[in-house]
Amino acid sequence: MLDLRVVLREDIIRVDDLMLRLLEFLKQINNVSLVSIEARSRARDSSVVLVSLRLKIEGEWDESAFQEAVRRVVADLAH
């Protein structure tokens, strides 16, 4: 199991766009399946959004390559 958390400012990226892009990205990876997903705003700062995904990893995988790919997904949305 892997818990992936993405914290972002909603004025940079809309949370629904991020969630859709992350789900599209995860569909392309054969040995990763989504267990749960949650998105919420921080109570004290509504412009900050937390997206949490619990993933099930089967077999071998490259954690650093996965993290870099997630960073690229987020960065591509910001441009």
Side-chain angles (χ1 to χ4, degrees), residues 13 21 69-79:
I13 303 170
R21 189 64 60 92
V70 170
R71 285 186 192 103
R72 282 194 308 266
V73 168
V74 173
D76 288 349
L77 278 171
H79 292 105

Side-chain angles (χ1 to χ4, degrees), residues 7 9 12 14 16-18 20 23 27 29 35 42 48-49 51 56 59 66 68-69 73 79:
V7 180
R9 290 179 48 108
I12 297 172
R14 289 180 24 172
D16 54 345
D17 292 338
L18 174 64
L20 288 172
L23 291 173
K27 284 172 55 176
I29 304 173
V35 175
R42 283 190 179 164
V48 176
V49 175
V51 178
K56 182 179 179 183
F66 180 79
E68 182 59 33
V73 168
H79 292 105

Side-chain angles (χ1 to χ4, degrees), residues 27-74:
K27 284 172 55 176
Q28 298 174 18
I29 304 173
N30 293 330
N31 61 338
V32 176
S33 56
L34 180 66
V35 175
S36 65
I37 188 168
E38 177 186 2
R40 59 188 168 88
S41 296
R42 283 190 179 164
R44 62 179 189 259
D45 185 357
S46 62
S47 68
V48 176
V49 175
L50 305 170
V51 178
S52 299
L53 299 104
R54 174 157 284 183
L55 307 172
K56 182 179 179 183
I57 311 296
E58 297 180 21
E60 294 183 27
W61 75 298
D62 184 343
E63 183 175 358
S64 62
F66 180 79
Q67 289 175 345
E68 182 59 33
V70 170
R71 285 186 192 103
R72 282 194 308 266
V73 168
V74 173

